[in-house]
Every structure is written in structure tokens, then in C-alpha cells.
Amino acid sequence: MNLPEEFDQYEYLSIAPGRVNILGEHIDYNGGSVLPAAIDRYVFLGANKRTDQMIKITALDLKDTITFRINNIEKKIDIHGNPLPDWALYPAGVFWAAKKQNLELSGFEGIFASSIPMGAGLSSSAAVEVAFAALMREFCSWDMDNMELAKMCQYAENQYIGVNCGLMDQFASANGIKNAFLFFNTTNLDWYPVEIPDTISIVITNSKIPRSLATSAYNDRRVSCEQALRKFQNKFPDIQNLCELSLSEFEEVQKSVDDTLQKRSKHVVEECARVNQAIDLLKDNQLNEFGNLMKASHNSLRDLYEVSTPELDDLVSIASGLQGCYGSRLTGAGFGGCIVSLVEKKAVSAFVSALASSYRAKTGKEIETYVCTASDGVTVQWCEKNSSK
Ligand code: GLA
């Protein structure tokens, strides 16, 4: 993306990517391993330090500017005493979380724009959090690695914004690696990159269905997992997470919870097993088998976790039948948003047009498609050319 000229007056540029999740959905808050990648769609944040304790931010895409005081962050109000608009809660939340950790904060003036579609399940909000956190780390020389940075952003999202998300999105935006999926164990936080075979492309398709009630439905799923875990701990007192249950242990205890909790926890236990199996398949370049696990994941999200929509189901079903598509599934929390497909590189352009036309023929609706590459995580640059302005 060519940055608009408004960015020319800022000395610092923080760039944080969005993410796509290839496999392991709704298990990052159940102790499972996940397989996301940072994508080449970004939040761009230009900023200059101020000497006072005021933060002034312009959201270029929304044409909105707010100013607030660092010492008023917990009140979620701007300098006029008005409630912060929703978008401003993300940067403010990050600074609030930093304050809780007794980290130094600096006033600044900044502007940001994004090439990540908003509300499409590609973690535009995590990227905003990570971009602002990395900027402040630079301004105040915090001694903090990217994992701690991601955890601080997650804390902000859980406690300040009220979405009880796991760590996957902030982790991927902070730690992305070019041309790699990230195998991330959310229990011990170990992770490593897995090179993406150069014969495949990541194709993301946006259903453009707004993710309505996503926050409450998401939090609700998380509560169900906690309830199921408490029941299963009667039989297996040592487990801390649903993902610690083997498939056979799950068989033993599943009847101790009601039908809904059974479905939710079955998805979680089986999805964990799928990721562990998938990683070996990927390393052996067994892409058809890997793709079959993506399809199984989608079916489970549709039937057991119940976070799909008819539009996502249609898209996955059409995509799965197209030439060169190894696997396809909804990506992210669900309830609308995007699907991700792994497609043989040489079949990509035919895949993209066939998916759009078949979907249009079936539903009368339009989609958007982004052919993405996996990218590096957040960076902050000092732009010398702007420093004299
Ligand atoms: C959202 C959350 C993540 C994760 C996914 C579902 O993106 O922010 O932590 O739970 O949903 O896998």
C-alpha cells in the first residue's frame, strides 16, 4: 500500500500485520496448538512523540480524531469528557494495560490506516493493538519481547474492551514470519515457523457478512468450554485445559455434560488432535491429507461449535470442489467474515474467478478475494526523511 501523504509528517512508522488461521479454531483459549500466519495486509501507524502526556490519534479510514490524557485512560474518556469511540478503545486499552504493568508511557500524535478489511475476522483489531504497543515500546525503550507484547495486548482486549479472546491473533501479528505458518502451542507458548510449500497460495475470501453478535457469542462459547472443563475435572482432576484430554478420555467423560457442552468440547478435543496430525502432514508435503483436515475442521465448526453461517458453508463447499484447492474452511472466530483456502499456485486465478461466479450464481451475492502471502510480524521504523519536517 502506498501511504497517503498525511504520513509524511511523522518520524516513526509502526506496521503490524493481520492474520489468517489455517487450522486450530477456538482452541487457543483451551490450551491447544494453532497454526496461523501473519498476512501481507497491515495497520500502518505514523507518529511523533510529544513532550506532554496527551495522546492525539487520527483514524484516517474513519476520518475521526480523538485526544485523551494518559492519566485518564481508565475512565475511557477524551479531553472533553466524552466517551472514547469504539475504535479508540484499542490503542487506549493497550496503554491502560501498560500502565497496569507500571510501564512508562509517552504522549504522542499519530495517524493510522489499515489495509486489513475491518470486522472480517482477519484480526484488524489485534493489529491495531500490536502496532500501538510496539510504537510505545520504541518510544519508551521498554524491555519487552514480542510474546510479552502480544500478551499485554490480549490483556487489554480481555479486560478493557471485554472480548475474552485467546492469544493467537496478537501472537501472530507480533511474531509473524515471512512465508511461514506459525505452529503455536498456547499452553507453554512455544512456537516455531513451518515453511509454506512454494507450490501453494493462501486465498482468503470475504463473505462480507458482518460478524453480528460476534462478541457475545464468542464469550458464550468460551464459558461453555469452562463449564465442560469443570465437569470433566471430576474424573480427570489434573487437567487444566480441554485440550489435555485424549480422544479416548473424552469418550469416557462426554456423557457427564449436556448435549450442547458435549458438542462444544468434542470440537475442541478433535480440533486439537487435527492440528497435531496436520503439522506432520505439512512437513511431509502431504497437502491433500492436510486439506482434508481443514475440511473436517470446517464441518466441526459448523455442526459442533456452531459458529459458521450459510454463506461461509456455501463458500467452503464451492471452493472445496474447485480444481487445485487442497482445503478450505472458515477462518477466525466465525459468525460471518472469511474463509481460507489453500490453493495450488498455478490454479489460483481460475479458482478466484470460478469461486466468485459460482457463488454469485447460487446466491446472487458478491464476495471479495485476497490472495495473500505470509509476512513478518510488527516492525517500527524511524523515517529519517520525515524527521526534519
Ligand atoms: C478470535 C480470537 C482468537 C481465537 C479465534 C478463534 O480471532 O481473537 O483468540 O480464539 O477467534 O480461533
Side-chain angles (χ1 to χ4, degrees), residues 19 21 24-29 34 121 123 157 163 165-170 211 218 332-334:
R19 70 94 191 91
N21 190 21
E25 216 66 88
H26 287 280
I27 59 173
D28 65 338
Y29 51 87
V34 292
S123 298
E157 182 134 358
V163 181
C165 64
L167 184 55
M168 172 172 73
D169 305 348
Q170 292 82 3
R211 298 165 62 239
Y218 182 91

Side-chain angles (χ1 to χ4, degrees), residues 42-115:
Y42 307 92
V43 165
F44 299 91
L45 163 66
N48 289 336
K49 241 176 155 175
R50 288 170 67 128
T51 47
D52 59 15
Q53 291 286 294
M54 305 263 253
I55 294 180
K56 179 176 177 190
I57 308 173
T58 297
L60 205 55
D61 303 330
L62 302 170
K63 300 190 174 45
D64 196 12
T65 299
I66 50 125
T67 308
F68 55 91
R69 281 193 178 81
I70 289 175
N71 58 12
N72 252 347
I73 288 182
E74 36 293 314
K75 296 196 185 133
K76 303 185 183 173
I77 51 170
D78 68 9
I79 43 163
H80 308 295
N82 298 320
L84 293 177
D86 284 354
W87 66 264
L89 294 174
Y90 294 91
V94 167
F95 305 140
W96 169 83
K99 254 177 110 178
K100 288 231 149 205
Q101 292 188 31
N102 293 320
L103 291 163
E104 187 195 338
L105 292 174
S106 163
F108 70 90
E109 197 151 318
I111 187 171
F112 76 101
S114 172
S115 62

